[in-house]
Amino acid sequence: MVEDKSAFVAFERVQKSYDGENLVVKDLNLSMPKGEFLTMLGPSGSGKTTCLMMLAGFETATHGDILLDGVSINNIPPHKRGIGMVFQNYALFPHMTVAENLSFPLEVRKTGKSEREEKVKRALDMVQMGDFAGRRPAQLSGGQQQRIALSRALVFEPELVLMDEPLGALDKQLRETLQFEITNLAHELGITTVYVTHDQTEALTMSDRVAVFDDGRIQQLAPPDELYEKPQNSFVAQFIGENNTLDGVVQEIKGDTCIVKLDSGDIIDAVPVNVTKVGERTRVSIRPERVEFNRDRLHDDAHTLKAEVLEFIYMGDIFRTRLRVAGTDEFVIKTRNAPDQARLKPGQTIEIGWMPEDCRALDA
Ligand SMILES: Nc1ncnc2c1ncn2[C@@H]1O[C@H](COP(=O)(O)OP(=O)(O)O)[C@@H](O)[C@H]1O
Ligand SMILES: [Mg+2]
């Protein structure tokens, strides 16, 4: 592969093994333009932190190259890479005041005293912590400590910032506030960010692009809407958002549609995403909010199947209904709570449908 010189951050054929036997990062290729906010999302143990540590320089790749601004950084030590970092457990120096914590990365870089003071003040103001310069970390709440950690990562104006589950220890409300602050700051300052999380909502709301990791590989790399609406395989479809699946066999493939015979005997149309031949087993995936059951709202091209209502849950803004469809009891549909939207009752039989393009034939 040719080195991508236009990328600001690039992983090229990167592999990592800790024990010389098992690869925890299998073949990572990734390139990020300057200013991008990219999130590595995946279950625990999928290799996200390892990738971040290699980029930071605390771990070395077993194979392949990592490039920063077109230059291989494999032999550059961490402190010379000019990268800001934020972790889940704050890692502030407990014996230093907030101002001293922020001043430290500048002292290491031999910044003069008056410039240091000016930059510390600016970095604290940026995270609305200007009044806390004299406090020690123990005198701050979790959210305040994390703001300081963020401001310490930004104080020396790095071009690249790495964040590993920085909001993992905070409660939901604070997490949402800080998600918003982090993305705003990153975009305002034009910082390139690699963010790691196992929380799909966080990934979808914060990122320009998301790399979904599983088993040491990127399963899909795409902007949030594409990831949700056009998952490339069953893992991504299941991991991102809620999803209905029906298993069957490919009967026919013609261009951008295929015919699938479900195990229940029902025959449906789908988009062939990663099925390649007739006779192959497939798992079709349909999002709950793309299923319609009001006859007059169903488009002529929509496919219909008989369904029995098993459970109806009123959730305020939406109704969540669980159905028995084509041999599964776990088919879920979500409908908006509109004045004219029917409330279904368990035991009721309905006809459901969806547009063929909302039904994707994936790996079994
Ligand atoms: N320092 C290490 N030594 C040995 N194995 C490690 C080390 N760090 C991580 N691993 C293993 O590598 C795999 C990937 O871990 P990690 O990169 O931390 O995943 P994630 O951040 O996605 O949870 C896991 O199986 C983990 O146990
Ligand atoms: Mg991790």
Side-chain angles (χ1 to χ4, degrees):
M1 192 187 300
V2 184
E3 289 183 0
D4 185 354
K5 297 272 185 203
S6 67
F8 185 56
V9 176
F11 286 81
E12 297 189 337
R13 307 171 314 268
V14 170
Q15 297 182 341
K16 173 68 181 176
S17 172
Y18 287 106
D19 58 9
E21 202 175 317
N22 302 301
L23 292 176
V24 299
V25 174
K26 286 178 179 149
D27 181 31
L28 192 77
N29 291 288
L30 172 69
S31 66
M32 290 174 66
K34 211 171 192 133
E36 181 170 57
F37 195 111
L38 181 134
T39 296
M40 295 177 169
L41 169 71
S44 174
S46 57
K48 308 179 299 290
T49 295
T50 300
C51 289
L52 218 57
M53 287 300 158
M54 290 190 288
L55 184 52
F58 298 116
E59 291 290 349
T60 48
T62 311
H63 177 87
D65 269 324
I66 300 175
L67 300 116
L68 199 54
D69 226 354
V71 179
S72 170
I73 53 172
N74 290 6
N75 297 316
I76 301 177
H79 65 279
K80 296 233 168 99
R81 297 189 183 194
I83 297 175
M85 299 201 65
V86 190
F87 302 100
Q88 177 170 338
N89 46 357
Y90 325 121
L92 297 172
F93 302 119
H95 59 287
M96 291 185 185
T97 64
V98 163
E100 286 162 356
N101 262 282
L102 262 70
S103 195
F104 182 76
L106 297 169
E107 283 166 40
V108 172
R109 287 171 176 78
K110 311 257 187 288
T111 311
K113 187 163 186 293
S114 64
E115 194 184 342
R116 248 175 17 228
E117 284 169 357
E118 194 182 306
K119 286 190 171 171
V120 167
K121 185 180 179 314
R122 200 181 330 140
L124 281 179
D125 286 344
M126 219 159 48
V127 295
Q128 289 100 46
M129 291 291 291
D131 297 339
F132 296 82
R135 298 241 190 136
R136 286 181 202 282
Q139 298 169 305
L140 301 173
S141 71
Q144 289 171 333
Q145 289 185 48
Q146 204 51 307
R147 279 205 174 86
I148 299 304
L150 177 63
S151 124
R152 188 178 62 177
L154 300 175
V155 72
F156 61 95
E157 294 158 21
E159 288 187 294
L160 177 62
V161 175
L162 312 182
M163 305 194 198
D164 195 352
E165 314 241 4
L167 308 180
L170 307 177
D171 64 52
K172 186 166 180 289
Q173 209 172 350
L174 194 54
R175 223 162 53 217
E176 284 170 4
T177 311
L178 281 172
Q179 283 168 8
F180 188 68
E181 286 182 18
I182 288 173
T183 42
N184 273 353
L185 267 180
H187 283 133
E188 258 168 47
L189 302 173
I191 295 168
T192 310
T193 310
V194 185
Y195 192 94
V196 164
T197 183
H198 63 270
D199 178 344
Q200 49 143 324
T201 310
E202 194 161 288
L204 293 182
T205 54
M206 295 179 79
S207 321
D208 296 321
R209 283 192 305 164
V210 179
V212 181
F213 274 68
D214 186 42
D215 194 26
R217 286 182 201 282
I218 293 180
Q219 301 291 326
Q220 188 169 355
L221 172 60
D225 56 343
E226 191 180 321
L227 214 52
Y228 184 82
E229 283 168 40
K230 297 195 161 83
Q232 287 306 314
N233 58 44
S234 287
F235 177 81
V236 176
Q238 284 301 118
F239 196 73
I240 311 281
E242 205 172 358
N243 187 48
N244 292 300
T245 58
L246 298 170
D247 291 332
V249 174
V250 180
Q251 268 201 330
E252 195 180 323
I253 303 179
K254 34 177 187 176
D256 53 5
T257 56
C258 66
I259 297 172
V260 175
K261 184 174 186 194
L262 300 178
D263 292 346
S264 62
D266 295 289
I267 296 194
I268 60 171
D269 283 350
V271 180
V273 178
N274 59 359
V275 291
T276 51
K277 56 181 191 291
V278 170
E280 195 177 352
R281 286 201 63 77
T282 179
R283 173 164 286 178
V284 298
S285 120
I286 309 134
R287 295 288 183 198
E289 70 278 15
R290 293 297 168 94
V291 181
E292 185 57 72
F293 65 88
N294 286 353
R295 260 255 139 252
D296 48 352
R297 286 195 200 162
L298 275 173
H299 193 273
D300 290 344
D301 291 344
H303 248 287
T304 60
L305 289 177
K306 282 239 170 321
E308 183 192 337
V309 178
L310 299 177
E311 190 178 39
F312 174 86
I313 302 174
Y314 175 90
M315 296 181 75
D317 56 344
I318 62 159
F319 304 149
R320 188 173 190 280
T321 312
R322 189 164 60 83
L323 305 169
R324 175 172 298 147
V325 178
T328 168
D329 284 354
E330 301 299 328
F331 200 98
V332 169
I333 63 176
K334 288 180 186 164
T335 40
R336 201 166 60 87
N337 178 0
D340 62 338
Q341 186 64 269
R343 297 189 187 188
L344 298 166
K345 291 186 184 62
Q348 200 177 340
T349 305
I350 57 172
E351 205 169 2
I352 58 165
W354 54 79
M355 297 301 293
E357 63 261 32
D358 289 328
C359 178
R360 300 166 63 77
L362 305 171
D363 47 296

